[in-house]
Amino acid sequence: MASADNGMNGDGSTSVERVGIFALSGATKRFGGVVAVDGVDFDLLEGEVHALVGENGAGKSTLMKMVGGVHAPDEGSVEVGGEAVSFASPGEAEGAGIAMIPQELDLFPELTIAENLFVGRKRPRTRWGGMDWKTMKEEARRSLGSMGVSLDVGATVKQLSTANRQIVAIARALLGDAKAVIMDEPTASLTEREAEKLFEVIADLTASGVGVVYISHRLEEVFRISDRITVMRDGRHIKTAPTSDLDSDELVRLMVGRELKELFSRSRHETGDIALETRGLTREGEFEDVDLTVRRGEVVGLAGLIGAGRTELAQTLFGLHKADAGEIRIDGEAVKSLSPQKAMEKGIFYVPEERKSQGLISPFPISANITLSILDRICRMGFVKRGRERETAERFAASLSIRGAGMDDPVSRLSGGNQQKVVLAKSLAREPSVLLLDEPTRGVDVGAKSEIYRLIDDLAGEGKAVLLISSELEEILSMSDRIVVMREGKVSGEFERSEADQEKIMAAATGTKAGQTAEVREERT
Amino acid sequence: MSGASTTTTATEHSDGPLKRFLTRPEAPALIFLAALVVVLSVVADGFLGASNFEGILSQVVVIGIIALAVNQVVLSGEIDISTGSMLGLCAMASGTVAVAGGGLLFTLLAGVAVGALAGAVNGFLVTVARIPAIIVTLGMLYALRGVLLLVTGGTWVTGVPAEARVLGIGSVFGVSLPIIVLFALFIVMELVNRHSDWGRNVLAVGGNRRAAMLAGLPSRRVRFWAFVLVGAAVGIASVIYIGRAGSVQTNAGTGLELQVIAAVVIGGTSIAGGRGSTLAALTGAVLIGVILNGMVLLGIPGVWQDAVLGALILLAVSTDVLRRKLLGDKA
Amino acid sequence: MSQYTETSRGFLSRIKFSRELVLLGVLIVIVIAMSLLSPVFLTLGNLLNTSRYFVEIGLISLGMTLIIITAGIDLSVGSNMALVSVVVGFSFLGGVPLPLAIVLGVVAGLAAGVFNGLFVTMLDLHPLVVTLGTFAMFRGLAYGFSDADAVSSFPAWFAYFGQAYFGPIPGQLIVFVIAVAVVWLILSRTRFGRYVYAIGHNEEAARFSGVPVERVKLAIYAGTGLLVGLASVIYISRVSTARGDAGLGLELDVIAAVVLGGASIYGGKGTIAGTVLGVLIIATLRNGLLLAGVPSTWQLFLLGVLLLVAVFLNEFFRKEEG
Amino acid sequence: GAGVGEAPDEGGGEGEQGGSGEGGANSICMMPKLVGIPYFNAAEEGANEAAEELGVDLTYDGPTEALAAEQVRRIEQFTQQQCDAISVAANDPDALAPAMTQAGEAGTATSAWDADVAEDSREVFVNQATFEAIGQTLVDIMAEQTGGEGEFLVVTGSLTAPNQNSWIEEMEAHMEAEYPDMSIAEILPGEEDLQLGIDVTTDYLRANPDTAGVFGITTVALPGAAEAVQQLGREGEVAVTGLSTPNEMRPYVESGTVEEFALWNPVDLGYLAVHVANAQVEGNLPDSGTFEAGRLGEVEMLAEDEVLLGPPDVYSSENIDDFDF
Ligand SMILES: Nc1ncnc2c1ncn2[C@@H]1O[C@H](COP(=O)(O)OP(=O)(O)OP(=O)(O)O)[C@@H](O)[C@H]1O
Ligand SMILES: Nc1ncnc2c1ncn2[C@@H]1O[C@H](COP(=O)(O)OP(=O)(O)OP(=O)(O)O)[C@@H](O)[C@H]1O
Ligand SMILES: [Mg+2]
Ligand SMILES: [Mg+2]
């Protein structure tokens, strides 16, 4: 971990000797009427980490897609190694040494991990011309190993959790001999532990002269690993500066274009009755014997590593899966077989972690997405009341300040952060009494994040019970009244806000210092 | 059938052979096939015998060969329901050449050329003109039958000479030649799928077309050749067809397209693309052959045969549910 | 946000606009071409008469549209039609009063739809696979129950369903127009319709949003079965025979009409207006070619080619790449 | 829906110049069960021959698949075109009845050939051979080859074809009366698909090796049955006969798999049908006795509404080369 810091925070002087890998100049990209990127200059040097930051929809991904061969710039030029290029496909960019880990993961669910790494690449061949599966697997294992992960490379990708898919996507980009690696929010679905591994990998890469573009909304990461930072806002280039010349407040101000008071907003509220309670809830192979309570007006944080079973638990509470054993009580009343419809009747709502595949109907207009879960309330005799629908959608879109497109535009037009707000708006429109939030700020910019945090606080203030699943420790620590930690499907620790700190949670999540966590648990019972 | 299982991809994973087997797409169909064979051996006289097995296999050769190719199209995320009319057209072409004394080679060439051409039209319309495959091949189902009727004016080809019928009724070392052709093509397809870039790309394109494009795969070219392959396979099948039948009628192959699709999907290849195997197509074809044969042996009245066939197809695909249960709802 | 209010013309209005307009253009071109080829074609009598042939396909296409929007398919509709025919015909022959026999038939169609729906939802099998099975099964049941015989001794009043005219208008055309209006309302105006599109675009997200995915799908397959029942009664009455080979090959015509109408087999896309245009285009082609005295062998070929051309134009003018 | 109404059907007040109309030649619209098969091509040949002779205007068209619903559509079409006579080979007697009745009401002369429609919906049926004659001929051929005993398989075109079912009834009746040791053990459909015909025959003969003979009673079923027997190498052991065309059967007659088979002459049938239709239009079709039909000479009126072509022909290696259809 320590190595991540070594020699990475380049000061201006070292970058002088470095050679440019690629450069964009005056790059402009329009989608219909929207100017996503507007005359931006950007360059990457050998052996540096160049962070690219900005609010959701600032144009970061679009800018990098122009280097990665996904989009061709409408204006401006792309140069690689000093020569102007125009890539027709990401494959060509890869051939020129530019690898990209896209924000929206695109893997082949039915293919094995090993094979996913080799799609579109030259596959190794045996002497007699057949495919050399052994070598492919070895290389795959090696590539994953460098991330400190050991997965069965013969398993299909569809069996993997989101986090592991992210790791496979990273491994895929690292497999070739890339001169530049573009990472578009690689840590969005990683927990801190895997993120640390990634930083080690990045350090190794830069040490061998590879340049890394690092896009992230986690600013502390940006400060830790980058040499230079470029800020974008509304598609325009705002500033490029050595990391050492910037501080956090300054960066946020550049990104948002105004002062941002406080990221986390959390006030104490009176907690009320128990709204949601589980007793010995078990689903084989996913989680076991989970006791959990969430009171009205309380925010309970649920922490854990990848595959700890938090998502499964939350989805079971929403009736998407059936529990094998145990009991779920809502407002003190035990509920038998739950379905999402029934859970919604009981006032529970779940905000999924994967917004693209689980949260949104992408081609639907924004308004239809927001009202999808409350159609029963805005219908008369089954007919949708357009006026009510419109009014409701606009109210919630405004209260979450969803920006970037009109109510009738497909939600796919929005940037990631604004899409996430639509998912949240959908859940708020339902006016649930128990809200299960699964990674609600994944891939969301600081501005939007602080709005979401304020929203969570407001919800608790209104007496709602909130279960907050998050892999960002800081978020969990700052937002929760109480923190429950899961490990390998079991509850491995529970802390009041006052007694919790980063170390204790990590210990409970990883199983080190088991004695200590056990003690904590006993205290509480 | 034993030939099939030995040539299957030796699964390279070591852990839990049963579970590994169950995750294979063709597993449910194989299990069902095995169960059916056991049941029929007990209840149907004359089922358990080398000559009957050979009979079943030779009856599924035409469907089987076409299914092996359509399997590739389905794996690539497309569909081809024009094979019935295509078979009619190819059989008419190869039959005409055969009757004109073209010998086996030219007969085969004629069938394959006509098939590949029709397949190329399908492929062109799907990948270049971007018309959905189900519409293209539906249109071609009508159009090719129309071409056939127009070209022949409704006359049938009869009296195909013996030398051109070898592929249909010949035998080598006591094994009938069409069966050998079927298994040879099965092995070829298995090798293509495992060891050629095209074979792997078919799976990738079918599994996630967007990702395939981002990974720089030539998605159109991959799918185009899958359609051409179907045409070529139909061409080969047509020579077996005229070999077995000895003559060709203008309605040859009517309804074949659905049987072929049935074979592919019952075998376990996912109609959504990206998931499946060569063995699945073969298993599906054999399964249909066994069902049809079993019904005749059991003396099920002709009027009820479709009902039994349909029910058994449903039963066969429901085996997949059992598999999913066993694997704990994943996959 | 309020500046967008003006542009709103309704749900998914923009995409619909261009698509259906192109189809309408195709239809007009065909109508003009056909009336040049045959003077009889563009007469009210002929047009109304033609309508008698597409009503059965049209009715079933309405249900199929919803199925295809949810990324499903139903290959069994033709066989289901045979089943309904046989149930009506043979229960009548067996002594059941005809009105009751008709009800029994429609119920059989509904039951067949429910059967499909249950397999698709409860066992989570792909609809193509399920209906490929029922495609064979329903037809087999029809042959089995009827022992491959036909019934045609229906009383005269039964002809009403398929042969009656109200003034110049064939009775079944009125049934069709009503059915179109109802299904159109359901699909474009109701919660149910919204669910149908949501499932088609992203079934998982729909489920996560609390959409009762299974119930909606079941209802769609059942509803299609019901429409098949209705269409069958009209069909039996029109040809005054109930027999196991009714509806042979019907499924392909229905699917062709729906997909021509712009529904995407990948789900999410499709409208009732499009489907009706698709039905009209195919019916017009068939009738026009027949009237123009084009030999049947040519008709088959031209139908295939024109179908491709129409879809190609449709795709070509499509604004957005899905 | 559109509004104003003339009568929309009823032969078409507005079908101005659909047919060739009065004054000119008679127009005869003739429909086979389906187009694109040699049998009906042969019939067309005969029909054309007669049309030329008589100077009538002949339209010969039908569906590409043997579907009754498709025929209904065409009959209504013919009616709109104001044909003077319509003659159909019906895929379903009852399904075509309403359309034929309507045509008759519109003043068109109606008749059926090859396969009848419901009696009261047409004026005349041109019968190629009686069910009885066919059933007896086939059974007699088979009895001669098998010594009048054994169990037999019948391969039909489709289980729903009424004329085929009637033949089978007559065959059974004839066996019962004349050859009590012969019986039909199974009836299997070949669905007019050659390959399927071969397959069902093969399967059946494997399962029932004692079968004495196979009847293939359509032009597709018979060659299928013959091919199956040949492929099983059981020529001579399993007798094969049935109904098919000489061209189709030539290889099997030459190889000896099939000794004799039967069929009426489809060219003559088409020829006769046009003569009858023309006589209807001219109003000179007799009620009984015989009817003068061109080169066929006098043909028998079986009833006032039924004309008979004659007994079926029996083909064997002796005479098969005299025919080309
Ligand atoms: N394919 C596209 N079609 C239309 N608009 C697009 C497309 N891709 C991006 N946009 C628009 O371009 C703008 C920039 O989007 P981009 O994805 O580059 O933002 P970003 O900075 O990466 O945001 P985030 O942090 O949320 O990922 C947004 O307004 C977005 O809606
Ligand atoms: N390495 C893996 N291989 C296969 N399946 C896995 C793996 N990791 C996780 N899973 C699946 O995910 C389930 C639990 O993950 P879940 O997503 O519920 O946990 P989580 O705590 O929410 O983690 P995450 O932060 O990834 O969301 C496991 O039971 C398993 O089914
Ligand atoms: Mg982005
Ligand atoms: Mg999770």
Side-chain angles (χ1 to χ4, degrees):
Chain A
M1 266 172 258
S3 68
D5 297 12
N6 281 350
M8 294 197 64
N9 282 341
D11 42 19
S13 61
T14 45
S15 66
V16 175
E17 309 142 25
R18 287 174 173 170
V19 190
I21 300 173
F22 71 74
L24 282 149
S25 46
T28 299
K29 181 76 198 170
R30 294 183 204 91
F31 294 109
V34 183
V35 186
V37 174
D38 190 1
V40 172
D41 295 340
F42 186 92
D43 69 320
L44 181 68
L45 306 177
E46 271 184 10
E48 78 162 343
V49 177
H50 191 161
L52 182 57
V53 299
E55 288 187 282
N56 292 123
K60 307 179 292 292
S61 300
T62 308
L63 182 71
M64 284 304 121
K65 283 178 183 168
M66 288 189 269
V67 188
V70 180
H71 297 316
D74 294 329
E75 283 164 33
S77 65
V78 185
E79 284 177 16
V80 174
E83 277 176 43
V85 290
S86 66
F87 300 127
S89 73
E92 283 185 22
E94 234 170 70
I98 297 172
M100 187 152 162
I101 304 166
Q103 183 174 10
E104 311 285 354
L105 289 186
D106 257 324
L107 295 169
F108 302 92
E110 292 288 346
L111 299 184
T112 62
I113 295 180
E115 198 167 356
N116 260 279
L117 302 192
F118 280 93
V119 170
R121 288 180 202 278
K122 214 167 156 43
R123 299 176 178 94
R125 296 258 172 200
T126 56
R127 238 175 309 133
W128 36 273
M131 271 186 199
D132 189 352
W133 293 99
K134 240 178 97 191
T135 310
M136 268 190 251
K137 285 188 173 161
E138 267 159 28
E139 290 209 17
R141 241 173 253 130
R142 200 174 41 73
S143 179
L144 286 169
S146 71
M147 291 280 305
V149 191
S150 97
L151 294 170
D152 173 7
V153 295
T156 52
V157 158
K158 72 176 172 203
Q159 295 166 282
L160 299 182
S161 61
T162 316
N164 280 332
R165 287 180 199 200
Q166 179 73 59
I167 287 168
V168 171
I170 295 170
R172 183 182 146 76
L174 299 181
L175 196 65
D177 301 315
K179 286 182 287 187
V181 182
I182 298 166
M183 303 187 176
D184 199 344
E185 302 193 33
T187 53
S189 57
L190 297 186
T191 58
E192 318 242 328
R193 197 168 65 152
E194 289 98 27
E196 289 301 336
K197 279 286 174 198
L198 179 65
F199 300 152
E200 281 175 32
V201 171
I202 291 175
D204 288 347
L205 286 174
T206 49
S208 60
V210 176
V212 174
V213 178
Y214 193 85
I215 302 179
S216 178
H217 292 293
R218 298 186 179 179
L219 296 185
E220 76 283 0
E221 288 176 2
V222 168
F223 277 107
R224 231 181 92 188
I225 67 168
S226 70
D227 303 281
R228 284 196 294 164
I229 299 178
T230 290
V231 182
M232 287 180 71
R233 189 167 74 223
D234 296 337
R236 277 187 294 272
H237 179 255
I238 299 298
K239 181 169 185 154
T240 302
T243 305
S244 46
D245 293 0
L246 291 164
D247 64 30
S248 184
D249 290 342
E250 163 88 0
L251 190 61
V252 170
R253 196 183 53 74
L254 288 171
M255 284 165 60
V256 190
R258 65 193 143 89
E259 290 294 339
L260 196 71
K261 277 162 261 139
E262 201 191 3
L263 183 57
F264 298 107
S265 40
R266 191 71 181 92
S267 43
R268 274 280 168 190
H269 303 295
E270 276 300 301
T271 54
D273 297 337
I274 294 176
L276 176 73
E277 185 176 17
T278 69
R279 284 278 169 78
L281 202 65
T282 301
R283 186 173 148 78
E284 245 146 78
E286 315 281 8
F287 54 83
E288 207 184 314
D289 206 13
V290 173
D291 296 345
L292 188 75
T293 54
V294 189
R295 292 171 178 280
R296 295 189 178 283
E298 186 183 39
V299 177
V300 174
L302 191 54
L305 300 179
I306 305 180
R310 297 164 299 167
T311 296
E312 283 288 336
L313 174 65
Q315 292 182 353
T316 305
L317 292 175
F318 187 51
L320 285 158
H321 308 293
K322 300 266 164 287
D324 295 323
E327 193 178 59
I328 302 171
R329 290 167 167 276
I330 298 164
D331 292 325
E333 194 186 321
V335 284
K336 290 248 150 42
S337 70
L338 209 56
S339 68
Q341 291 80 262
K342 198 158 167 205
M344 275 163 56
E345 269 170 38
K346 301 259 171 205
I348 302 185
F349 203 85
Y350 170 71
V351 173
E353 62 180 337
E354 291 201 45
R355 72 173 158 259
K356 200 170 138 199
S357 65
Q358 303 171 336
L360 295 169
I361 313 283
S362 300
F364 266 24
I366 294 171
S367 57
N369 266 287
I370 294 178
T371 56
L372 186 58
S373 298
I374 52 160
L375 287 177
D376 50 340
R377 294 194 194 145
I378 55 168
C379 281
R380 189 166 34 207
M381 295 167 59
F383 284 83
V384 179
K385 290 198 274 183
R386 299 278 180 87
R388 275 289 294 283
E389 168 171 33
R390 185 155 202 91
E391 179 263 313
T392 314
E394 269 171 5
R395 183 152 50 85
F396 283 96
S399 79
L400 281 153
S401 44
I402 291 167
R403 280 179 296 255
M407 283 285 107
D408 297 319
D409 288 327
V411 75
S412 53
R413 289 262 185 94
L414 294 174
S415 70
N418 279 304
Q419 289 187 11
Q420 182 68 19
K421 288 191 206 163
V422 173
V423 179
L424 283 167
K426 180 173 75 177
S427 69
L428 296 188
R430 185 72 216 175
E431 295 175 337
S433 54
V434 178
L435 197 55
L436 313 170
L437 300 171
D438 199 351
E439 313 280 2
T441 63
R442 171 180 294 177
V444 169
D445 69 47
V446 272
K449 253 185 191 168
S450 82
E451 287 170 37
I452 291 172
Y453 294 141
R454 206 168 47 242
L455 191 81
I456 293 174
D457 189 45
D458 289 349
L459 289 172
E462 290 166 24
K464 305 206 154 142
V466 178
L467 183 71
L468 173 66
I469 299 173
S470 172
S471 297
E472 272 188 71
L473 277 184
E474 209 188 337
E475 182 171 298
I476 288 263
L477 282 167
S478 318
M479 293 305 300
S480 321
D481 297 312
R482 197 150 49 81
I483 296 162
V484 175
V485 186
M486 282 179 75
R487 182 168 76 88
E488 288 169 10
K490 293 190 189 123
V491 173
S492 61
E494 193 166 336
F495 309 91
E496 284 301 324
R497 176 191 201 146
S498 50
E499 61 181 5
D501 64 29
Q502 205 140 340
E503 259 122 55
K504 282 185 190 159
I505 292 175
M506 277 315 282
T510 56
T512 48
K513 297 185 218 156
Q516 191 183 328
T517 20
E519 257 172 45
V520 176
R521 266 194 105 177
E522 261 165 32
E523 263 175 35
R524 291 208 44 77
T525 43
Chain B
M1 255 167 292
S2 60
S5 38
T6 47
T7 49
T8 322
T9 61
T11 28
E12 60 290 344
H13 319 293
S14 48
D15 51 351
L18 179 67
K19 200 153 186 185
R20 276 292 170 203
F21 170 70
L22 284 175
T23 58
R24 307 242 349 138
E26 68 277 1
L30 274 174
I31 293 170
F32 188 78
L33 179 59
L36 198 63
V37 166
V38 170
V39 170
L40 285 174
S41 307
V42 176
V43 301
D45 289 340
F47 179 78
L48 207 59
S51 81
N52 190 45
F53 280 138
E54 190 174 328
I56 294 173
L57 285 177
S58 23
Q59 285 171 17
V60 300
V61 165
V62 169
I63 293 177
I65 289 176
I66 300 175
L68 283 175
V70 169
N71 192 44
Q72 295 301 108
V73 168
V74 174
L75 282 177
S76 79
E78 302 287 359
I79 195 163
D80 190 341
I81 54 170
S82 66
T83 52
S85 299
M86 209 188 272
L87 181 79
L89 194 61
C90 288
M92 205 49 91
S94 51
T96 308
V97 170
V99 170
L104 183 60
L105 180 67
F106 285 100
T107 302
L108 197 58
L109 276 179
V112 172
V114 169
L117 185 68
V121 173
N122 277 337
F124 175 84
L125 290 173
V126 172
T127 60
V128 181
R130 304 225 199 164
I131 309 176
I134 191 157
I135 281 290
V136 167
T137 55
L138 186 59
M140 288 288 274
L141 185 71
Y142 294 134
L144 290 180
R145 184 72 60 187
V147 169
L148 171 61
L149 289 170
L150 285 175
V151 170
T152 62
T155 30
W156 295 354
V157 170
T158 53
V160 175
E163 79 265 16
R165 297 184 61 177
V166 177
L167 279 189
I169 50 177
S171 64
V172 178
F173 305 124
V175 183
S176 80
L177 203 49
I179 299 178
I180 294 177
V181 173
L182 175 63
F183 280 91
L185 288 176
F186 166 71
I187 291 169
V188 169
M189 282 317 301
E190 186 64 42
L191 286 175
V192 163
N193 266 344
R194 260 200 100 55
H195 290 290
S196 79
D197 279 315
W198 179 76
R200 299 319 293 173
N201 289 347
V202 161
L203 279 170
V205 167
N208 186 344
R209 191 178 299 169
R210 213 182 83 102
M213 239 122 78
L214 288 179
L217 295 186
S219 140
R220 290 189 196 187
R221 223 184 312 146
V222 167
R223 287 175 290 138
F224 176 82
W225 287 113
F227 282 102
V228 176
L229 180 77
V230 169
V234 170
I236 296 173
S238 77
V239 177
I240 292 177
Y241 182 93
I242 61 166
R244 281 171 48 75
S247 59
V248 190
Q249 288 144 10
T250 37
N251 68 347
T254 311
L256 181 89
E257 57 281 344
L258 287 182
Q259 288 183 33
V260 169
I261 298 286
V264 170
V265 298
I266 293 170
T269 291
S270 159
I271 200 71
R275 175 184 164 77
S277 70
T278 320
L279 184 56
L282 187 65
T283 310
V286 172
L287 188 54
I288 290 182
V290 169
I291 294 175
L292 292 174
N293 176 267
M295 284 192 295
V296 174
L297 294 186
L298 289 176
I300 293 173
V303 284
W304 286 104
Q305 292 199 352
D306 270 350
V308 176
L309 176 69
L312 286 178
I313 287 178
L314 284 177
L315 209 57
V317 294
S318 302
T319 325
D320 190 50
V321 179
L322 202 70
R323 178 190 67 113
R324 273 182 274 166
K325 271 263 149 51
L326 283 174
L327 291 180
D329 258 336
K330 285 257 167 179
Chain C
M1 241 152 281
S2 54
Q3 74 257 34
Y4 295 98
T5 328
E6 292 309 301
T7 64
S8 122
R9 213 173 284 112
F11 193 64
L12 293 176
S13 60
R14 238 171 320 273
I15 306 165
K16 207 164 73 181
F17 189 64
S18 62
R19 238 169 199 287
E20 266 100 75
L21 223 59
V22 172
L23 281 176
L24 195 63
V26 170
L27 181 60
I28 290 171
V29 168
I30 292 173
V31 167
I32 292 173
M34 291 306 160
S35 49
L36 290 180
L37 282 173
S38 160
V40 188
F41 178 81
L42 205 60
T43 56
L44 189 65
N46 177 58
L47 291 183
L48 285 172
N49 200 41
T50 309
S51 72
R52 296 177 46 216
Y53 298 112
F54 66 67
V55 166
E56 293 134 28
I57 287 178
L59 281 174
I60 300 171
S61 299
L62 297 177
M64 188 70 82
T65 305
L66 269 64
I67 289 180
I68 288 184
I69 291 175
T70 59
I73 198 151
D74 187 349
L75 293 177
S76 72
V77 287
S79 303
N80 190 2
M81 189 172 216
L83 187 60
V84 175
S85 295
V86 165
V87 169
V88 173
F90 283 81
S91 56
F92 169 64
L93 199 67
V96 178
L98 189 53
L100 192 62
I102 292 172
V103 173
L104 272 181
V106 175
V107 169
L110 178 70
V114 170
F115 186 85
N116 281 332
L118 284 178
F119 261 82
V120 170
T121 55
M122 307 261 286
L123 297 188
D124 197 20
L125 289 168
H126 194 286
L128 189 109
V129 181
V130 172
T131 57
L132 207 53
T134 51
F135 165 79
M137 197 173 92
F138 295 159
R139 170 104 28 218
L141 289 176
Y143 279 145
F145 287 143
S146 65
D147 203 16
D149 252 338
V151 175
S152 47
S153 52
F154 296 111
W157 65 263
F158 183 57
Y160 197 75
F161 293 98
Q163 299 176 33
Y165 282 87
F166 294 92
I169 300 166
Q172 57 261 60
L173 186 59
I174 299 173
V175 175
F176 182 57
V177 169
I178 294 171
V180 166
V182 169
V183 180
W184 175 76
L185 268 181
I186 290 177
L187 190 58
S188 65
R189 291 278 181 274
T190 66
R191 167 155 61 120
F192 185 84
R194 189 73 63 87
Y195 286 164
V196 169
Y197 281 109
I199 292 171
H201 279 305
N202 188 342
E203 188 174 322
E204 190 180 8
R207 186 171 285 118
F208 274 69
S209 303
V211 173
V213 176
E214 270 67 43
R215 248 182 289 156
V216 171
K217 281 193 180 172
L218 189 60
I220 292 176
Y221 285 91
T224 303
L226 190 68
L227 284 167
V228 172
L230 204 61
S232 304
V233 173
I234 293 173
Y235 174 82
I236 309 167
S237 165
R238 181 166 69 81
V239 301
S240 52
T241 310
R243 216 163 80 159
D245 68 356
L248 209 60
L250 182 87
E251 57 283 340
L252 293 186
D253 281 350
V254 169
I255 293 168
V258 174
V259 182
L260 178 61
S264 160
I265 52 157
Y266 303 111
K269 291 198 194 105
T271 59
I272 292 302
T275 293
V276 171
L277 284 166
V279 170
L280 289 180
I281 288 175
I282 290 183
T284 312
L285 273 177
R286 282 189 184 254
N287 177 256
L289 291 175
L290 204 62
L291 275 175
V294 176
S296 299
T297 44
W298 272 102
Q299 283 178 31
L300 199 64
F301 175 72
L302 285 176
L303 195 70
V305 170
L306 289 174
L307 192 67
L308 286 176
V309 170
V311 176
F312 176 71
L313 286 179
N314 194 7
E315 297 294 307
F316 185 77
F317 284 110
R318 192 165 77 176
K319 289 228 170 94
E320 297 174 344
E321 175 57 37
Chain D
V4 268
E6 289 114 326
D9 51 341
E10 317 303 332
E14 51 258 89
E16 304 99 46
Q17 59 254 71
S20 52
E22 295 81 66
N26 292 333
S27 66
I28 294 177
C29 295
M30 190 167 163
M31 178 153 55
K33 283 184 175 177
L34 74 168
V35 295
I37 71 166
Y39 175 84
F40 285 111
N41 284 359
E44 182 178 12
E45 197 181 298
N48 280 328
E49 184 190 338
E52 209 152 293
E53 241 176 68
L54 296 167
V56 301
D57 202 353
L58 177 75
T59 307
Y60 185 94
D61 194 24
T64 50
E65 277 180 81
L67 292 174
E70 286 293 309
Q71 288 190 304
V72 171
R73 183 197 280 262
R74 283 176 173 78
I75 293 170
E76 294 185 356
Q77 201 44 61
F78 288 155
T79 312
Q80 291 229 325
Q81 284 172 351
Q82 290 179 306
C83 294
D84 295 321
I86 296 180
S87 187
V88 298
N91 283 310
D92 183 309
D94 299 305
L96 268 58
M100 287 297 275
T101 308
Q102 222 173 66
E105 282 164 2
T108 311
T110 54
S111 60
W113 60 285
D114 187 68
D116 204 358
V117 293
E119 274 173 34
D120 49 8
S121 67
R122 48 84 184 144
E123 291 156 28
V124 192
F125 173 49
V126 182
N127 195 346
Q128 62 270 46
T130 57
F131 296 143
E132 205 180 357
I134 289 174
Q136 289 180 1
T137 308
L138 292 183
V139 171
D140 288 341
I141 294 175
M142 189 62 93
E144 199 177 307
Q145 292 180 34
T146 61
E149 58 180 39
E151 299 204 319
F152 297 88
L153 167 69
V154 178
V155 183
T156 66
S158 111
L159 294 167
T160 57
N163 57 346
Q164 294 169 17
N165 289 340
S166 305
W167 294 333
I168 295 171
E169 272 167 34
E170 291 295 341
M171 284 160 71
E172 281 175 330
H174 191 56
M175 283 181 185
E176 208 166 302
E178 302 282 328
Y179 311 98
D181 294 334
M182 289 174 83
S183 66
I184 291 175
E186 179 67 288
I187 302 165
L188 291 173
E191 302 296 349
E192 298 294 21
D193 176 343
L194 183 61
Q195 189 65 62
L196 192 63
I198 297 174
D199 290 349
V200 294
T201 311
T202 308
D203 279 346
Y204 184 82
L205 291 180
R206 277 220 182 85
N208 305 277
D210 299 337
T211 306
V214 185
F215 291 98
I217 60 169
T218 76
T219 46
V220 184
L222 179 55
E227 181 65 35
V229 169
Q230 197 164 312
Q231 281 181 21
L232 287 169
R234 303 193 57 197
E235 308 96 314
E237 294 165 45
V238 180
V240 184
T241 192
L243 302 167
S244 192
T245 60
N247 279 352
E248 194 62 24
M249 295 312 295
R250 193 160 287 118
Y252 305 105
V253 172
E254 279 169 7
S255 72
T257 310
V258 175
E259 282 180 25
E260 287 182 330
F261 64 97
L263 194 68
W264 51 93
N265 187 325
V267 180
D268 292 350
L269 180 60
Y271 180 85
L272 176 60
V274 170
H275 267 278
V276 170
N278 193 53
Q280 279 177 282
V281 179
E282 301 291 336
N284 54 13
L285 191 70
D287 282 353
S288 58
T290 57
F291 159 66
E292 165 87 34
R295 66 169 167 82
L296 295 176
E298 299 290 319
V299 292
E300 188 188 348
M301 296 297 298
L302 273 184
E304 59 170 2
D305 63 348
E306 191 167 350
V307 187
L308 181 68
L309 177 62
D313 297 345
V314 174
Y315 305 89
S316 65
S317 54
E318 317 262 291
N319 64 354
I320 193 165
D321 289 329
D322 303 339
F323 302 96
D324 182 24
F325 60 85

